[in-house]
Amino acid sequence: MKTEFSDFGEVRRLLADAPCLSIRQPWAELILLERKKVELRQWSTQHRGWVWLHTGKTFDEASYSRFGFTSLFTGGFVGAFRLRDVVPLDGERWDVWRSTHLDLGDCPANVFGWVITNPLRLEKPTAAPGSRGLYRPDAELATRLLAQPFVGEFEAS
């Protein structure tokens, strides 16, 4: 994954107060690969900006084979992304966005499309428990996450 960031210090400053979101594998990996750009949730949020990406311990087994994965990290933090917008979905918008969500089915009822941009992968995943909804890491976990380098962070310009 090629990152467009040159100022990781600014990204870290913004991540210092960022919430976390747990997403099952392989969906979290597909976000980091910039293949999945819309996440569906049954709830909205006023938050816009950076979000830590956590993977739950459970995973979508059928989707592993569909996307060609055999083993992915679960049960901790794998990166971060910027939440650009949250939009209520209807059938018309779903038809346009279906490919960015990587879903083959019909429009789910009463869902919101969380528009994801700028994914950043941690060089090493950080094992930690997750939670439901958008949640804040405790101070110790936030410190551990902020100390982890991102892929591409220290590459020569």
Side-chain angles (χ1 to χ4, degrees):
M1 177 179 71
K2 179 89 170 122
T3 182
E4 64 184 65
F5 294 103
S6 59
D7 189 352
F8 281 92
E10 176 66 8
V11 171
R12 285 183 186 290
R13 185 185 70 73
L14 296 168
L15 281 167
D17 191 40
C20 311
L21 183 67
S22 292
I23 298 177
R24 290 189 307 162
Q25 291 286 27
W27 307 111
E29 179 65 20
L30 292 163
I31 287 170
L32 292 172
L33 292 171
E34 299 186 75
R35 291 180 58 194
K36 181 175 174 61
K37 298 177 182 183
V38 175
E39 171 66 6
L40 299 187
R41 295 285 154 156
Q42 293 183 329
W43 47 278
S44 184
T45 180
Q46 294 300 311
H47 178 79
R48 302 295 183 274
W50 287 96
V51 176
W52 288 106
L53 179 57
H54 178 273
T55 65
K57 286 189 177 186
T58 63
F59 55 92
D60 184 341
E61 192 170 337
S63 295
Y64 261 69
S65 58
R66 176 178 162 209
F67 292 104
F69 296 114
T70 56
S71 177
L72 295 170
F73 176 82
T74 59
F77 291 87
V78 291
F81 61 85
R82 193 171 68 83
L83 180 59
R84 191 180 81 210
D85 205 359
V86 177
V87 180
L89 287 184
D90 57 25
E92 185 176 327
R93 182 170 279 141
W94 177 247
D95 287 341
V96 173
W97 284 9
R98 181 188 330 245
S99 66
T100 62
H101 177 259
L102 303 176
D103 195 313
L104 306 174
D106 293 330
C107 180
N110 304 314
V111 295
F112 295 87
W114 291 38
V115 181
I116 294 169
T117 63
N118 309 112
L120 294 173
R121 182 188 300 273
L122 290 171
E123 281 192 8
K124 293 181 186 175
T126 300
S131 189
R132 294 187 180 270
L134 276 179
Y135 61 96
R136 299 281 174 184
D138 64 34
E140 185 272 331
L141 178 56
T143 299
R144 280 184 25 217
L145 291 173
L146 289 167
Q148 294 294 321
F150 290 102
V151 171
E153 185 170 3
F154 299 108
E155 292 177 4
S157 302

